[in-house]
Amino acid sequence: MQRIHCLIIGSGPAGYTAAIYAARANLKPVMITGLLQGGQLMNTTEVENYPGYPNGVLGPNMMEDFRKQAERFGTDIRFGVVTKVDFSVSPKKVWVDDTTLLEADAVILATGAEAKWLGLESEKRLNGSGVSACAVCDGFFYKNSEVAIVGAGDTACEEALYLSKLCTQVHMLVRRDVMRASKIMQERVLKTPNIRIYWNTETDEILGENAVEAVRVRNNKTGETFVIPIKGFFVAIGHKPNSDIFRDYIQTDNEGYVITKPGTTQTNVEGVFACGDLQDKVYRQAVTAAGTGCMAALEAERWLSAKGLH
Ligand code: NDP
């Protein structure tokens, strides 16, 4: 069986950046891509906030650039899904597609997170054409327009405030008569004149053929429905980190985000590092994911050297 120095699980900005650094440090990294090679950015259109692309770049094209750069330095990229791990032994064991067993000294977890969606047909159909789960990524496209946002947690409040600075009106759809967000965030939202809150309100359907034109909402107390004309529809009902297969070994918080030692990417298991959205519920940006990917590779390299494994 091939013994791997540095195994990277996941192929978003965090995984690819870890690969670039690990390959350049001669760790001969092997990357297991996961089902969606390139990660969440494969579902995005224009990315305008990643430094180095002055004219913006399409998410999939950017990930293609990341892949080429990782390959250029010799990363062994393998398409597959990690289905099981055993981090109680040394070297660590990782099974790919239930069949292939790999053994690795250091493992970098970069499996990311997924936005939660409402589950409407129109939401899926108009994704990328007015429907988005990231205000910081896509808010700019709706400058001087009206938008709606669904959710009532800290993310929804933060994104509603962000959108209120760009858009003429933000319609915030809250399914209960209270918000889950911290008091301070709620107060900020309530004090913002161009954010209108609709309590006890759920989304019936997003309207529009090829682009979002309006949303039909329903008051779940009165049953009344009405249509709000908008250009952008933002979903901010939480994210789910892809940590399920690691949970028997790796400490997570109660939402499933991997806990790392502050200021590092080190998990509770020696030689296992976590980077990107898998361990970040606050920033969730490609550039911050790439930053922690770099940290994970540098820390893996130091750990391998200290153990005499490289
Ligand atoms: P949360 O799980 O905290 O909130 C999700 C919100 O979405 C809730 O208000 C929930 O409503 C609502 N929701 C869920 N499903 C639906 C649905 N189907 N239809 C309508 N509404 C729905 O997620 P967040 O992403 O907001 O936050 C995750 C964590 O990250 C939290 O711990 C938060 O504090 C933290 N965070 C911290 C930040 C900071 O410190 N700056 C910034 C952003 C997040 P309901 O309340 O009715 O369940």
Side-chain angles (χ1 to χ4, degrees), residues 116-119 150-159 172-182 185 188 201-203 235-239 253-255 257 280-284:
K116 290 185 192 162
W117 297 97
L118 297 171
V150 53
D154 280 328
T155 303
C157 288
E158 207 168 76
E159 300 210 333
M172 187 166 183
L173 313 175
V174 177
R175 70 176 172 183
R176 291 187 292 151
D177 58 0
V178 288
M179 284 196 206
R180 182 186 293 263
S182 53
M185 292 303 282
R188 280 188 203 152
T201 300
E202 292 180 43
T203 308
V235 180
I237 61 172
H239 283 75
D253 68 10
N254 55 11
E255 292 160 67
Y257 287 92
D280 168 23
K281 64 183 172 198
V282 178
Y283 303 106
R284 298 194 194 104

Side-chain angles (χ1 to χ4, degrees), residues 200-202 204 217-226:
N200 302 307
T201 300
E202 292 180 43
D204 251 5
V217 298
R218 179 173 33 83
N219 182 303
N220 57 25
K221 287 269 186 278
T222 63
E224 180 202 359
T225 61
F226 51 99

Side-chain angles (χ1 to χ4, degrees), residues 53-305:
Y53 291 100
N55 302 316
V57 59
L58 291 172
N61 293 356
M62 183 165 112
M63 295 326 292
E64 180 70 2
D65 286 347
F66 273 57
R67 182 186 62 76
K68 284 184 191 151
Q69 197 171 351
E71 272 180 342
R72 182 179 151 213
F73 298 110
T75 307
D76 177 353
I77 298 176
R78 303 180 189 176
F79 183 80
V81 176
V82 170
T83 45
K84 193 175 137 189
V85 298
D86 182 354
F87 292 158
S88 67
V89 289
S90 199
K92 288 134 194 105
K93 294 187 171 173
V94 171
W95 282 264
V96 181
D97 298 329
D98 286 323
T99 49
T100 311
L101 171 62
L102 303 176
E103 288 189 340
D105 294 322
V107 180
I108 295 178
L109 310 179
T111 47
E114 287 167 28
K116 290 185 192 162
W117 297 97
L118 297 171
L120 300 169
E121 177 278 323
S122 50
E123 174 190 52
K124 207 168 181 180
R125 182 168 46 82
L126 293 166
N127 199 321
S129 303
V131 173
S132 165
C134 179
V136 178
C137 318
D138 298 327
F140 186 77
F141 302 121
Y142 308 103
K143 206 172 170 188
N144 299 324
S145 307
E146 297 202 16
V147 295
I149 183 163
V150 53
D154 280 328
T155 303
C157 288
E158 207 168 76
E159 300 210 333
L161 290 164
Y162 182 87
L163 291 166
S164 73
K165 297 186 184 106
L166 295 167
C167 306
T168 49
Q169 182 75 45
V170 179
H171 303 275
M172 187 166 183
L173 313 175
V174 177
R175 70 176 172 183
R176 291 187 292 151
D177 58 0
V178 288
M179 284 196 206
R180 182 186 293 263
S182 53
K183 279 276 168 292
I184 184 160
M185 292 303 282
Q186 292 191 34
E187 276 164 21
R188 280 188 203 152
V189 163
L190 290 166
K191 274 203 293 207
T192 305
N194 64 338
I195 300 178
R196 177 170 171 195
I197 297 172
Y198 299 70
W199 301 104
N200 302 307
T201 300
E202 292 180 43
T203 308
D204 251 5
E205 211 63 72
I206 305 156
L207 308 175
E209 268 304 306
N210 302 314
V212 171
E213 290 166 13
V215 58
R216 189 175 68 236
V217 298
R218 179 173 33 83
N219 182 303
N220 57 25
K221 287 269 186 278
T222 63
E224 180 202 359
T225 61
F226 51 99
V227 170
I228 310 169
I230 47 160
K231 291 236 166 73
F233 183 83
F234 289 87
V235 180
I237 61 172
H239 283 75
K240 187 186 173 304
N242 298 317
S243 61
D244 288 354
I245 50 164
F246 310 126
R247 288 217 207 168
D248 286 346
Y249 304 95
I250 300 293
Q251 255 177 21
T252 63
D253 68 10
N254 55 11
E255 292 160 67
Y257 287 92
V258 170
I259 296 171
T260 50
K261 195 172 150 209
T264 77
T265 61
Q266 201 183 301
T267 68
N268 60 303
V269 177
E270 240 204 290
V272 179
F273 305 87
C275 51
D277 287 11
L278 178 67
Q279 51 85 58
D280 168 23
K281 64 183 172 198
V282 178
Y283 303 106
R284 298 194 194 104
Q285 300 302 300
V287 69
T288 47
T292 54
C294 158
M295 288 166 64
L298 294 176
E299 287 165 13
E301 203 256 329
R302 277 176 209 152
W303 180 81
L304 286 163
S305 292

